[in-house]
Amino acid sequence: MSRTAVRWARAFGHFWWDFLVGDTPELFVAILALVAVAFALRHDRVADVVTLPALAISALLGSAWRGRSRVGKRRPAQEG
Amino acid sequence: MSSATVILMLAVFGACCVEAVEALTIVLASGTTRGWRSATEGTAAALVVLGVLVGAVGVPLIHYVPIDALRVLVGALLGVLGLSWLRKAILRASGHKAKHDEDAIYQATAASLRASSGTRGRRDGLGFAVAFKGVFLEGMEVVLIVISLGASQHRLGYASAAAAAAVVVVSTVGLLVSRQLSEVPENTIKTVVGIMLTSFGLYWLGEGAGVRWPGSDLAIPVLIGVFAAVTAASVALLKTQAPAPARLGPADDGGVAT
């Protein structure tokens, strides 16, 4: 019974790790930064509606750039 | 029905179509190699568990968690999911990552199941387990999307209906053609859904934190337009640096974040 519970807990933890972090930890960090910035700038109407999308776009571009396969270099690890 | 609700239903429908196509491939591989009874039972069991999860997690979330906290949480979850789908779609569309190939996945799964020993009688444990796991894992992402989008807008019923409609459409087409749906433009659907999830995620994250978006709900289509433009520009930019197609390995889409 306890072994089954441990196995289920591990599988549950593994699922969330894969889902939230997986092979793109930079996107997870970016989302945490977005939450922090959203709370910090919530009273500044102009700054928040510009900063939040800009941060998300930067994270996306940075992550895609990091994931590109480069000619002449080893292809990055395969991702799911 | 507001425009935000329509976009919500389209996002859930699209996401569920993508995951249902992937699950169908595994179920078909299980059914053709290990018997249809076990594959059907495994699929049905997984769908029941997923449905119970939506009810057991989604309904309490709506009723007991403060709406602003809920919106920050689901906004962050949708943001992670949406950005990772978009990233993958950009890399695939620009030639930096092999496209998802249902034919190859079907062949690999079927070969692995054929090679496995075990009784292939009326009830086959392996066939049941493979179908159950395939549907459950692919469905978990849909459950997260349904709960996140449904709970943040108090539209759990609409979100569930859109997901169910996608399952019915994909299953019906799959049954009619009796094979995996390799012609479904998964990358295109995933790109569109990724844009929608990212836009919804950013909007709800901001709303929950106290940000007041100009035009309220109308900010969602604007965000969708911005992310669509960024995606198109990224694909165009990365295409200029794409390696020859032969260099790319096969897509490996196991795991949750597909």
Side-chain angles (χ1 to χ4, degrees):
Chain A
M1 178 64 189
S2 62
R3 284 185 67 180
T4 309
V6 169
R7 214 174 67 223
W8 276 91
R10 265 199 195 148
F12 186 74
H14 188 70
F15 170 81
W16 281 102
W17 177 265
D18 264 358
F19 179 72
L20 293 173
V21 182
D23 44 30
T24 52
E26 69 276 13
L27 292 181
F28 179 64
V29 173
I31 290 294
L32 293 181
L34 274 169
V35 173
V37 169
F39 276 105
L41 297 180
R42 63 185 154 168
H43 299 303
D44 190 336
R45 192 183 167 112
V46 177
D48 52 22
V49 299
V50 173
T51 309
L52 290 184
L55 257 178
I57 289 167
S58 306
L60 175 64
L61 295 180
S63 184
W65 187 257
R66 178 178 165 261
R68 78 199 191 283
S69 46
R70 279 152 287 188
V71 179
K73 290 195 177 177
R74 191 179 68 83
R75 189 170 175 263
Q78 293 207 349
E79 298 158 29
Chain B
M1 193 184 292
S2 70
S3 60
T5 308
V6 172
I7 297 173
L8 172 152
M9 291 183 75
L10 286 175
V12 172
F13 185 83
C16 196
C17 275
V18 170
E19 301 300 337
V21 165
E22 292 175 9
L24 178 71
T25 300
I26 297 167
V27 172
L28 284 172
S30 171
T32 51
T33 55
R34 310 292 298 195
W36 284 105
R37 180 174 177 166
S38 304
T40 310
E41 287 175 353
T43 303
L47 288 176
V48 169
V49 173
L50 291 171
V52 169
L53 270 176
V54 171
V57 179
V59 175
L61 273 181
I62 289 177
H63 291 291
Y64 300 115
V65 177
I67 189 69
D68 284 341
L70 184 63
R71 284 175 174 170
V72 171
L73 179 68
V74 301
L77 282 177
L78 289 175
V80 168
L81 189 57
L83 285 173
S84 81
W85 277 34
L86 257 189
R87 170 189 186 271
K88 212 170 288 178
I90 288 170
L91 291 175
R92 282 182 177 147
S94 60
H96 286 271
K97 184 170 164 58
K99 292 196 174 167
H100 194 94
D101 186 347
E102 294 301 336
D103 286 331
I105 292 167
Y106 175 83
Q107 299 297 345
T109 309
S112 153
L113 284 168
R114 269 190 217 103
S116 304
S117 57
T119 323
R120 299 181 196 192
R122 293 177 68 188
R123 275 221 163 81
D124 177 58
L126 182 62
F128 178 93
V130 167
F132 180 89
K133 195 176 166 188
V135 173
F136 184 75
L137 286 179
E138 300 296 349
M140 272 302 286
E141 253 180 282
V142 174
V143 165
L144 285 170
I145 293 168
V146 166
I147 290 175
S148 301
L149 285 175
S152 58
Q153 293 193 58
H154 281 207
R155 295 281 185 273
L156 196 59
Y158 282 117
S160 304
V167 170
V168 170
V169 168
V170 171
S171 308
T172 307
V173 174
L175 282 175
L176 287 176
V177 301
S178 294
R179 64 187 176 84
Q180 68 277 17
L181 305 175
S182 52
E183 279 88 24
V184 171
E186 267 193 79
N187 203 54
T188 307
I189 298 175
K190 200 165 260 190
T191 308
V192 173
V193 175
I195 289 168
M196 286 178 163
L197 294 182
T198 307
S199 305
F200 266 111
L202 200 58
Y203 178 81
W204 288 126
L205 193 156
E207 278 277 306
V211 173
R212 293 290 158 253
W213 296 95
S216 193
D217 280 4
L218 286 176
I220 296 174
V222 173
L223 286 171
I224 288 174
V226 168
F227 279 105
V230 167
T231 302
S234 309
V235 170
L237 174 70
L238 286 175
K239 259 186 184 170
T240 62
Q241 305 203 349
R247 286 174 182 271
L248 295 175
D252 172 14
D253 272 346
V256 289
T258 57

